[in-house]
C-alpha cells in the first residue's frame, strides 16, 4: 500500500494532518458500510480518518451504479493514524497523537514544502457532455418533474482529462489558495488522490447533537464591491434559489427525524448567504439531538448520501441521476472526514474537487447543480462553468 494520509483545512483558524496508517479498512464491494461501521466501532477510542463514496447508496437502497468510473476509489476507506497534527490560526503546531520524532518531522517537512511549491500544470479538461447534450438532459429531467416523479434533482456533468500528470499536493495547495474553501481537504490513498475545495459540510457531531449544512443556491462573485453586493442581494431574493434550498432543508429534516429524539430537529439558519473566493452560496443549517445508543451505521443509513447531492424524493432522484449522468460519481458527492476519540466527528461534501488516478493518469472534475421546474437550462450550464473555473485554472497554470 502506498502512502495514505489526509489533510483538512477550514481556511479560518484550523488545519489537521493525519498520516502513517497503523490500522485500516478498505472495501470495494459488498457490505462496505457495515464493514466500515465495525472498524469505526472497534477503534472508537482513537482517531479515525477516511471517506465514503456516493455509490454506497446501493447498499442503503436497492440501487446500482453502472456508469464508467475514471478514478476508481474504493467504496469506503478508513484508517487509524500513528500521527495527528493540528495547526491553529496562529500557525502553532500541536501533536494530538504521536510523538514529534524524526519520522514525523521528515513527513511534515516534506508536506509543508509543497505548500509554497510552484505549479506548472498544462492539463486541459474535456467536457463529458456538449452544451447541447447537457441542455437536452436538463429538459428531460424537467419533464420528470412535470410528471410528478421528482421535485428536484442534482444533476452533474464530468470534466476530465486522460494521459495527464500532475503533482497532486502542490496542485491542491494552489487550488486552496485560489478558493479558501471552508471544508477543503486532500486525500492520498494508494495512488488515488482527492484535491477538494469543498465549501459544504455534510455532517458534524458534537456530543449528542448532529449538525448538517446543505448548500443550494449559487451566484458568481462581482468584479466590484457594488456588483458583489448586488449579486448577493439577488441570490437571497431569488425565488428559484430559495425554493431549491428549502426543498433540501425539508428532505434533511425528514432524514434526521428518522434517528433524532422527538421534537429535536431544528432549522438553526435558513438561507444564510456565505461568500467565498469564487462564489456566493445559500447555506442552511439543520440540527437534531440523538440518543447516545444510535450507532454510526444508523446515522449513515438515515442521512447518506446527503440530500444536497441527490434531490427529492431521494430514491427517485438517485435513479434518475444514474439514468442521465454519464459517469460514476465515486468519491465525488461522497464525503471525507474524521472521528475523534470522544466520538465527535466532522465530514464534508465532496464537490469543487479534482480527482486523480496516478497509475492511469486520469483526472475527473465533476460539477453540477439542482434542477427544478424554475431552472433555466442555459443558466444551469453557466453555473457549472462558474464552479469548474477554479479547477480548470489550477490544472492549466503557471502558478
Amino acid at each position: 500500500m502506498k502512502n495514505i494520509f489526509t489533510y483538512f483545512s477550514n481556511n479560518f483558524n484550523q488545519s489537521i494532518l493525519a498520516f502513517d496508517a497503523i490500522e485500516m479498512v478498505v472495501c470495494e464491494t459488498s457490505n462496505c458500510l457495515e464493514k466500515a461501521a465495525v472498524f469505526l466501532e472497534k477503534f472508537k477510542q482513537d482517531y479515525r480518518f477516511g471517506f465514503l463514496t456516493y455509490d454506497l447508496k446501493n447498499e442503503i437502497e436497492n440501487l446500482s451504479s453502472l456508469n464508467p468510473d475514471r478514478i476508481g476509489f474504493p467504496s469506503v476507506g478508513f484508517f487509524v493514524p500513528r500521527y495527528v497534527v493540528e495547526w491553529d490560526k496562529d500557525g502553532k503546531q500541536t501533536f494530538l497523537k504521536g510523538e514529534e520524532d524524526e519520522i514525523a518531522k521528515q513527513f511534515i517537512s516534506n508536506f509543508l514544502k509543497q505548500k509554497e511549491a510552484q505549479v506548472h500544470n498544462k492539463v486541459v479538461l474535456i467536457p463529458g457532455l456538449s452544451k447541447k447534450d447537457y441542455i437536452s438532459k436538463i429538459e428531460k429531467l424537467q419533464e420528470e418533474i412535470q410528471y410528478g416523479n421528482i421535485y428536484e434533482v442534482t444533476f452533474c456533468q464530468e470534466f476530465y482529462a486522460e494521459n495527464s500528470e500532475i503533482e497532486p499536493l502542490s496542485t491542491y495547495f494552489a487550488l486552496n489558495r485560489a478558493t479558501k474553501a471552508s471544508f477543503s481537504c486532500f486525500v492520498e490513498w494508494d495512488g488515488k488522490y482527492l484535491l477538494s475545495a469543498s465549501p459544504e459540510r455534510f455532517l458534524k457531531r458534537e456530543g449528542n447533537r448532529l449538525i448538517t449544512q446543505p448548500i443550494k443556491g449559487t451566484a458568481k462573485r462581482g468584479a466590484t464591491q457594488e456588483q458583489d453586493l448586488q449579486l448577493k442581494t439577488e441570490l437571497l431574493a431569488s425565488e428559484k434559489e430559495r425554493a431549491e434550498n428549502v426543498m433540501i432543508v425539508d428532505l434533511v429534516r425528514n432524514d434526521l427525524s428518522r434517528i433524532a429524539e422527538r421534537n429535536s430537529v431544528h432549522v438553526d439558519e435558513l438561507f444564510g448567504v456565505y461568500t467565498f473566493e469564487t462564489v456566493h452560496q445559500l447555506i442552511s443549517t439543520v440540527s437534531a439531538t440523538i440518543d447516545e445508543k444510535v450507532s454510526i451505521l444508523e446515522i449513515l443509513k438515515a442521512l447518506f448520501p446527503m440530500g444536497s447531492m441527490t434531490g427529492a424524493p431521494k430514491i427517485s432522484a438517485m435513479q434518475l441521476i444514474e439514468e442521465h449522468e454519464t459517469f460514476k460519481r465515486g468519491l465525488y458527492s461522497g464525503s471525507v472526514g474524521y472521528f475523534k476519540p470522544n466520538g465527535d466527528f466532522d465530514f464534508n461534501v465532496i464537490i469543487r474537487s479534482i480527482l486523480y488516478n496516478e497509475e492511469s493518469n486520469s483526472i475527473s472534475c465533476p460539477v453540477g447543480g439542482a434542477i427544478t421546474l424554475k431552472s433555466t437550462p442555459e443558466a444551469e450550464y453557466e453555473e457549472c462553468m462558474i464552479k469548474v473555473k477554479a479547477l480548470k485554472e489550477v490544472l492549466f497554470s503557471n502558478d
Side-chain angles (χ1 to χ4, degrees), residues 49-334:
F49 288 71
F51 60 85
L52 305 160
T53 62
Y54 169 81
D55 301 289
L56 286 169
K57 66 183 174 61
N58 305 332
E59 297 184 9
I60 299 171
E61 306 293 348
N62 184 23
L63 298 168
S64 62
S65 299
L66 302 176
N67 288 322
D69 183 358
R70 205 174 297 276
I71 303 301
F73 266 92
S75 294
V76 67
F78 279 92
F79 73 101
V80 175
R82 191 181 306 276
Y83 304 97
V84 180
V85 183
E86 183 179 60
W87 288 270
D88 66 15
K89 62 182 177 181
D90 299 317
K92 181 184 176 183
Q93 177 182 296
T94 303
F95 273 75
L96 302 179
K97 182 185 178 186
E99 300 294 326
E100 192 174 357
D101 56 24
E102 286 306 313
I103 294 172
K105 285 180 180 177
Q106 187 62 50
F107 186 95
I108 293 167
S109 174
N110 293 338
F111 173 80
L112 293 177
K113 281 179 185 175
Q114 295 300 310
K115 209 165 189 177
E116 304 302 328
Q118 290 245 316
V119 177
H120 299 288
N121 294 322
K122 296 299 178 187
V123 176
V124 177
L125 292 177
I126 301 167
L129 290 171
S130 68
K131 183 176 181 179
K132 180 181 177 182
D133 287 342
Y134 173 86
I135 287 173
S136 175
K137 286 181 176 289
I138 299 302
E139 290 170 345
K140 287 175 182 175
L141 288 168
Q142 287 181 314
E143 288 177 9
E144 297 286 348
I145 297 172
Q146 287 179 320
Y147 296 151
N149 296 329
I150 49 167
Y151 306 111
E152 177 177 357
V153 60
T154 299
F155 177 75
C156 303
Q157 60 174 318
E158 182 186 35
F159 291 80
Y160 69 93
E162 300 287 7
N163 303 313
S164 299
E165 294 184 26
I166 60 171
E167 203 303 309
L169 189 53
S170 58
T171 301
Y172 161 74
F173 282 124
L175 178 64
N176 195 44
R177 287 193 295 273
T179 57
K180 296 182 173 62
S182 48
F183 294 95
S184 168
C185 73
F186 177 87
V187 176
E188 178 177 349
W189 194 281
D190 192 21
K192 300 173 183 70
Y193 298 85
L194 170 72
L195 296 62
S196 181
S198 173
E200 184 171 2
R201 169 177 280 135
F202 164 43
L203 193 63
K204 181 179 184 179
R205 180 171 188 165
E206 293 179 337
N208 65 346
R209 187 165 176 253
L210 293 179
I211 303 155
T212 184
Q213 295 181 292
I215 292 179
K216 273 290 164 274
T218 303
K220 65 181 180 180
R221 294 296 306 270
T224 65
Q225 191 172 356
E226 292 76 14
Q227 287 179 354
D228 214 35
L229 180 59
Q230 180 64 27
L231 288 164
K232 285 174 67 174
T233 303
E234 290 173 359
L235 174 62
L236 182 58
S238 168
E239 185 180 344
K240 169 192 171 291
E241 304 288 8
R242 290 164 71 96
E244 286 180 11
N245 195 288
V246 80
M247 279 188 222
I248 297 306
V249 166
D250 284 344
L251 185 154
V252 168
R253 288 173 59 211
N254 181 66
D255 283 353
L256 278 170
S257 69
R258 295 161 63 184
I259 53 170
E261 292 185 349
R262 189 179 176 88
N263 298 322
S264 73
V265 180
H266 297 290
V267 179
D268 302 283
E269 182 180 34
L270 188 65
F271 309 141
V273 181
Y274 290 78
T275 297
F276 299 91
E277 293 295 303
T278 56
V279 290
H280 302 294
Q281 302 278 191
L282 215 54
I283 305 177
S284 293
T285 302
V286 188
S287 67
T289 302
I290 58 169
D291 189 283
E292 62 181 19
K293 295 187 180 72
V294 178
S295 69
I296 184 60
L297 185 59
E298 291 173 302
I299 292 170
L300 291 173
K301 283 187 172 181
L303 294 166
F304 194 82
M306 59 291 298
S308 62
M309 296 308 296
T310 61
K314 206 169 189 178
I315 296 174
S316 297
M318 289 190 289
Q319 289 171 331
L320 288 169
I321 286 168
E322 175 65 19
E323 179 183 341
H324 291 279
E325 289 184 355
T326 59
F327 68 102
K328 183 178 180 180
R329 288 190 179 184
L331 190 50
Y332 176 76
S333 297

Side-chain angles (χ1 to χ4, degrees), residues 20-62:
D20 196 358
I22 54 177
E23 301 284 351
M24 59 187 303
V25 61
V26 186
C27 184
E28 300 281 354
T29 57
S30 181
N31 300 318
C32 291
L33 205 53
E34 285 79 1
K35 290 172 184 174
V38 169
F39 177 87
L40 294 169
E41 178 64 24
K42 180 179 179 180
F43 297 100
K44 66 181 180 181
Q45 305 299 325
D46 211 328
Y47 284 93
R48 293 137 290 163
F49 288 71
F51 60 85
L52 305 160
T53 62
Y54 169 81
D55 301 289
L56 286 169
K57 66 183 174 61
N58 305 332
E59 297 184 9
I60 299 171
E61 306 293 348
N62 184 23

